[in-house]
Amino acid sequence: MKKIYLYGNWKMNMTVAETKKFFEGFSSQYQPYKNDAGLEVGVFAPFTSLWALADCAKNLGIVFGAENVYSEDKGAFTGEVSIPMLQEIGIKYVILGHSERRHIFNEPDEMIAKKVKAVLAAGMTPILCYGETLEEREGGNTFKVMERQLKSAIDGLSADDVKKIIYAYEPVWAIGTGKSATSEQAQEVCAWSRNLIGIKDVVILYGGSVKGSNAKELLSMNDIDGALVGGASLKPDAFIEIYKAYKA
Ligand code: PGA
């Protein structure tokens, strides 16, 4: 059995009160599996809930992180949050390049690459998201787009740093749509990505409408090391169901 990563991306959901409530429900169900070395659970929350998340997650021994960060340490960047600010509250993991950052907030590859470098230089772990839109897939450009996204992010990094990144293939058409990629589609891209990255044992997650009913098949594929879960990570039962489905 391979090690599985189950990361929840809360997006712009969960106040401090809701974060605490989530963990009340989650911890009672998670505890029985606490010593399972084969599974790493993590939760990524909005900035304002990170303090509460850190508190709850530390008690359970699970990974916790932010959903974004800026590459500069301080200065005139209104509305941004820096790496030292995250580090001060114990954050070691950051999602970067999520499709909502790329497409709603127009974050270009170069900006994401700078963030990846800054996060690695700070000794933290970036979860680098990449993936094609429906239009790009239908136009036959899936691999071209992903090559651009991946290469721009890892260009100039040492092999050691490339290995420290956790990669998350998230086809934009599968995010929040209820329509997951098939396990074959996801496997194909994850295997291709591993090849492009050039390091066999990098961690590659799949994200896009993962839920209890499709988790086992997706997570059983050779080149898929885990899931980045949006909608189904917002309720303890739904999140735990994914975990249980894989173990079943
Ligand atoms: P979803 O989101 O599980 O709601 O499709 C996944 C993601 O955006 O990380």
mmCIF file of all heavy atoms in Angstrom, residues 2 14 17 19 28 34 48 56 83 91 96 143 156 160 169-170 175 180 188 190 204 212 215 218-219 244:
data_model
loop_
_atom_site.group_PDB
_atom_site.id
_atom_site.type_symbol
_atom_site.label_atom_id
_atom_site.label_comp_id
_atom_site.label_asym_id
_atom_site.label_seq_id
_atom_site.Cartn_x
_atom_site.Cartn_y
_atom_site.Cartn_z
ATOM 1 N N LYS A 2 0.622 2.172 -0.942
ATOM 2 C CA LYS A 2 1.437 3.397 -0.989
ATOM 3 C C LYS A 2 0.926 4.434 0.008
ATOM 4 O O LYS A 2 -0.229 4.358 0.453
ATOM 5 C CB LYS A 2 1.409 3.975 -2.404
ATOM 6 C CG LYS A 2 0.020 4.413 -2.838
ATOM 7 C CD LYS A 2 -0.010 4.921 -4.268
ATOM 8 C CE LYS A 2 -1.450 5.173 -4.685
ATOM 9 N NZ LYS A 2 -1.610 5.528 -6.077
ATOM 10 N N MET A 14 -15.290 28.920 5.503
ATOM 11 C CA MET A 14 -14.903 28.605 6.879
ATOM 12 C C MET A 14 -14.373 29.806 7.665
ATOM 13 O O MET A 14 -13.233 30.236 7.520
ATOM 14 C CB MET A 14 -13.867 27.475 6.930
ATOM 15 C CG MET A 14 -14.348 26.200 6.274
ATOM 16 S SD MET A 14 -15.792 25.524 7.129
ATOM 17 C CE MET A 14 -15.258 23.847 7.346
ATOM 18 N N ALA A 17 -15.138 30.415 13.678
ATOM 19 C CA ALA A 17 -16.128 29.590 14.392
ATOM 20 C C ALA A 17 -16.416 28.295 13.617
ATOM 21 O O ALA A 17 -16.498 27.214 14.202
ATOM 22 C CB ALA A 17 -17.420 30.380 14.590
ATOM 23 N N THR A 19 -14.410 26.821 11.528
ATOM 24 C CA THR A 19 -13.203 25.976 11.577
ATOM 25 C C THR A 19 -13.222 25.127 12.844
ATOM 26 O O THR A 19 -12.990 23.912 12.809
ATOM 27 C CB THR A 19 -11.938 26.867 11.549
ATOM 28 O OG1 THR A 19 -11.949 27.610 10.331
ATOM 29 C CG2 THR A 19 -10.670 26.050 11.641
ATOM 30 N N SER A 28 -13.368 13.475 16.237
ATOM 31 C CA SER A 28 -13.941 12.262 16.825
ATOM 32 C C SER A 28 -13.868 11.103 15.828
ATOM 33 O O SER A 28 -13.720 9.949 16.207
ATOM 34 C CB SER A 28 -15.385 12.510 17.235
ATOM 35 O OG SER A 28 -16.116 12.896 16.105
ATOM 36 N N LYS A 34 -5.291 7.621 13.642
ATOM 37 C CA LYS A 34 -4.184 8.526 13.930
ATOM 38 C C LYS A 34 -2.792 7.947 13.646
ATOM 39 O O LYS A 34 -1.914 8.649 13.184
ATOM 40 C CB LYS A 34 -4.263 8.932 15.396
ATOM 41 C CG LYS A 34 -3.770 10.319 15.663
ATOM 42 C CD LYS A 34 -4.108 10.679 17.070
ATOM 43 C CE LYS A 34 -3.363 11.900 17.508
ATOM 44 N NZ LYS A 34 -3.676 12.213 18.885
ATOM 45 N N THR A 48 -7.574 34.274 7.516
ATOM 46 C CA THR A 48 -8.136 34.661 8.818
ATOM 47 C C THR A 48 -8.442 33.458 9.710
ATOM 48 O O THR A 48 -8.589 33.610 10.918
ATOM 49 C CB THR A 48 -9.434 35.475 8.616
ATOM 50 O OG1 THR A 48 -10.262 34.758 7.704
ATOM 51 C CG2 THR A 48 -9.136 36.865 8.087
ATOM 52 N N CYS A 56 -6.147 23.608 15.978
ATOM 53 C CA CYS A 56 -6.903 22.340 15.884
ATOM 54 C C CYS A 56 -6.057 21.251 15.219
ATOM 55 O O CYS A 56 -6.043 20.101 15.659
ATOM 56 C CB CYS A 56 -8.174 22.526 15.060
ATOM 57 S SG CYS A 56 -9.325 23.726 15.733
ATOM 58 N N ILE A 83 5.372 35.484 3.396
ATOM 59 C CA ILE A 83 5.850 34.208 3.941
ATOM 60 C C ILE A 83 6.206 34.337 5.434
ATOM 61 O O ILE A 83 5.776 33.505 6.239
ATOM 62 C CB ILE A 83 7.033 33.679 3.092
ATOM 63 C CG1 ILE A 83 6.492 33.239 1.721
ATOM 64 C CG2 ILE A 83 7.748 32.538 3.781
ATOM 65 C CD1 ILE A 83 7.538 32.955 0.674
ATOM 66 N N ILE A 91 2.925 28.106 9.844
ATOM 67 C CA ILE A 91 2.511 27.524 8.560
ATOM 68 C C ILE A 91 3.736 27.040 7.771
ATOM 69 O O ILE A 91 4.689 27.794 7.564
ATOM 70 C CB ILE A 91 1.734 28.567 7.711
ATOM 71 C CG1 ILE A 91 0.516 29.099 8.468
ATOM 72 C CG2 ILE A 91 1.334 27.985 6.347
ATOM 73 C CD1 ILE A 91 -0.550 28.102 8.781
ATOM 74 N N LEU A 96 -0.180 26.901 -4.202
ATOM 75 C CA LEU A 96 0.166 27.961 -5.161
ATOM 76 C C LEU A 96 -0.375 27.606 -6.543
ATOM 77 O O LEU A 96 -0.444 26.435 -6.913
ATOM 78 C CB LEU A 96 1.694 28.127 -5.237
ATOM 79 C CG LEU A 96 2.380 28.629 -3.961
ATOM 80 C CD1 LEU A 96 3.896 28.618 -4.141
ATOM 81 C CD2 LEU A 96 1.910 30.028 -3.584
ATOM 82 N N PHE A 143 -1.596 18.984 -22.930
ATOM 83 C CA PHE A 143 -0.213 18.758 -22.523
ATOM 84 C C PHE A 143 0.672 19.981 -22.775
ATOM 85 O O PHE A 143 1.597 20.244 -22.016
ATOM 86 C CB PHE A 143 0.335 17.497 -23.206
ATOM 87 C CG PHE A 143 -0.385 16.270 -22.718
ATOM 88 C CD1 PHE A 143 -1.389 15.673 -23.470
ATOM 89 C CD2 PHE A 143 -0.102 15.744 -21.460
ATOM 90 C CE1 PHE A 143 -2.076 14.560 -22.989
ATOM 91 C CE2 PHE A 143 -0.789 14.636 -20.962
ATOM 92 C CZ PHE A 143 -1.778 14.048 -21.734
ATOM 93 N N GLY A 156 15.024 26.192 -13.333
ATOM 94 C CA GLY A 156 16.082 26.811 -12.528
ATOM 95 C C GLY A 156 16.164 26.278 -11.101
ATOM 96 O O GLY A 156 17.033 26.689 -10.328
ATOM 97 N N ASP A 160 16.718 18.745 -5.895
ATOM 98 C CA ASP A 160 16.262 18.636 -4.499
ATOM 99 C C ASP A 160 14.998 19.460 -4.259
ATOM 100 O O ASP A 160 14.052 19.008 -3.624
ATOM 101 C CB ASP A 160 17.383 19.199 -3.611
ATOM 102 C CG ASP A 160 17.752 18.230 -2.536
ATOM 103 O OD1 ASP A 160 17.622 17.023 -2.798
ATOM 104 O OD2 ASP A 160 18.156 18.701 -1.448
ATOM 105 N N TYR A 169 -2.456 17.932 -9.943
ATOM 106 C CA TYR A 169 -3.109 18.063 -11.248
ATOM 107 C C TYR A 169 -4.597 18.276 -11.028
ATOM 108 O O TYR A 169 -5.297 17.417 -10.486
ATOM 109 C CB TYR A 169 -2.885 16.803 -12.102
ATOM 110 C CG TYR A 169 -3.784 16.792 -13.319
ATOM 111 C CD1 TYR A 169 -3.821 17.887 -14.194
ATOM 112 C CD2 TYR A 169 -4.612 15.715 -13.591
ATOM 113 C CE1 TYR A 169 -4.664 17.902 -15.294
ATOM 114 C CE2 TYR A 169 -5.458 15.710 -14.702
ATOM 115 C CZ TYR A 169 -5.482 16.820 -15.544
ATOM 116 O OH TYR A 169 -6.317 16.842 -16.627
ATOM 117 N N GLU A 170 -5.062 19.454 -11.441
ATOM 118 C CA GLU A 170 -6.465 19.777 -11.273
ATOM 119 C C GLU A 170 -7.038 20.313 -12.590
ATOM 120 O O GLU A 170 -6.900 21.507 -12.894
ATOM 121 C CB GLU A 170 -6.642 20.836 -10.177
ATOM 122 C CG GLU A 170 -6.153 20.373 -8.814
ATOM 123 C CD GLU A 170 -6.872 21.095 -7.694
ATOM 124 O OE1 GLU A 170 -6.880 22.338 -7.679
ATOM 125 O OE2 GLU A 170 -7.439 20.425 -6.832
ATOM 126 N N ILE A 175 -13.202 20.984 -11.579
ATOM 127 C CA ILE A 175 -13.203 21.623 -10.254
ATOM 128 C C ILE A 175 -14.570 22.197 -9.931
ATOM 129 O O ILE A 175 -15.083 23.045 -10.655
ATOM 130 C CB ILE A 175 -12.131 22.730 -10.182
ATOM 131 C CG1 ILE A 175 -10.741 22.102 -10.334
ATOM 132 C CG2 ILE A 175 -12.226 23.501 -8.879
ATOM 133 C CD1 ILE A 175 -9.612 23.097 -10.330
ATOM 134 N N SER A 180 -15.814 14.640 -12.161
ATOM 135 C CA SER A 180 -14.395 14.339 -11.988
ATOM 136 C C SER A 180 -13.800 13.831 -13.309
ATOM 137 O O SER A 180 -14.523 13.322 -14.166
ATOM 138 C CB SER A 180 -14.269 13.254 -10.912
ATOM 139 O OG SER A 180 -13.082 12.547 -11.067
ATOM 140 N N GLU A 188 -3.326 9.210 -16.697
ATOM 141 C CA GLU A 188 -2.543 9.543 -17.887
ATOM 142 C C GLU A 188 -1.747 10.831 -17.657
ATOM 143 O O GLU A 188 -0.545 10.902 -17.901
ATOM 144 C CB GLU A 188 -3.468 9.709 -19.102
ATOM 145 C CG GLU A 188 -2.720 10.006 -20.392
ATOM 146 C CD GLU A 188 -3.623 10.483 -21.528
ATOM 147 O OE1 GLU A 188 -4.766 10.917 -21.264
ATOM 148 O OE2 GLU A 188 -3.155 10.426 -22.685
ATOM 149 N N CYS A 190 -1.066 12.339 -14.743
ATOM 150 C CA CYS A 190 -0.116 12.254 -13.625
ATOM 151 C C CYS A 190 1.146 11.500 -14.036
ATOM 152 O O CYS A 190 2.256 11.891 -13.664
ATOM 153 C CB CYS A 190 -0.776 11.627 -12.394
ATOM 154 S SG CYS A 190 -2.018 12.732 -11.674
ATOM 155 N N ILE A 204 2.379 13.463 -6.547
ATOM 156 C CA ILE A 204 1.427 14.099 -7.460
ATOM 157 C C ILE A 204 0.001 13.754 -7.020
ATOM 158 O O ILE A 204 -0.371 12.577 -6.935
ATOM 159 C CB ILE A 204 1.640 13.657 -8.923
ATOM 160 C CG1 ILE A 204 3.101 13.895 -9.343
ATOM 161 C CG2 ILE A 204 0.690 14.404 -9.856
ATOM 162 C CD1 ILE A 204 3.420 13.510 -10.779
ATOM 163 N N GLY A 212 -16.326 10.595 -1.817
ATOM 164 C CA GLY A 212 -16.276 9.219 -1.324
ATOM 165 C C GLY A 212 -16.502 8.194 -2.411
ATOM 166 O O GLY A 212 -15.851 7.149 -2.446
ATOM 167 N N ALA A 215 -13.252 8.125 -4.876
ATOM 168 C CA ALA A 215 -11.896 8.212 -4.307
ATOM 169 C C ALA A 215 -11.092 6.931 -4.482
ATOM 170 O O ALA A 215 -9.930 6.972 -4.868
ATOM 171 C CB ALA A 215 -11.985 8.569 -2.830
ATOM 172 N N LEU A 218 -9.717 6.495 -8.050
ATOM 173 C CA LEU A 218 -8.713 7.502 -8.406
ATOM 174 C C LEU A 218 -7.417 7.270 -7.628
ATOM 175 O O LEU A 218 -6.323 7.281 -8.187
ATOM 176 C CB LEU A 218 -9.253 8.900 -8.099
ATOM 177 C CG LEU A 218 -10.269 9.464 -9.098
ATOM 178 C CD1 LEU A 218 -11.045 10.620 -8.484
ATOM 179 C CD2 LEU A 218 -9.563 9.926 -10.374
ATOM 180 N N LEU A 219 -7.546 7.054 -6.331
ATOM 181 C CA LEU A 219 -6.357 6.940 -5.485
ATOM 182 C C LEU A 219 -5.624 5.616 -5.662
ATOM 183 O O LEU A 219 -4.504 5.456 -5.205
ATOM 184 C CB LEU A 219 -6.739 7.143 -4.011
ATOM 185 C CG LEU A 219 -7.353 8.510 -3.680
ATOM 186 C CD1 LEU A 219 -7.683 8.624 -2.204
ATOM 187 C CD2 LEU A 219 -6.410 9.635 -4.081
ATOM 188 N N LYS A 244 -12.061 6.832 4.252
ATOM 189 C CA LYS A 244 -12.557 5.482 4.511
ATOM 190 C C LYS A 244 -12.711 4.703 3.207
ATOM 191 O O LYS A 244 -12.438 3.509 3.153
ATOM 192 C CB LYS A 244 -13.899 5.527 5.236
ATOM 193 C CG LYS A 244 -13.738 5.898 6.698
ATOM 194 C CD LYS A 244 -15.061 5.711 7.411
ATOM 195 C CE LYS A 244 -14.914 5.989 8.899
ATOM 196 N NZ LYS A 244 -16.198 6.332 9.506
#
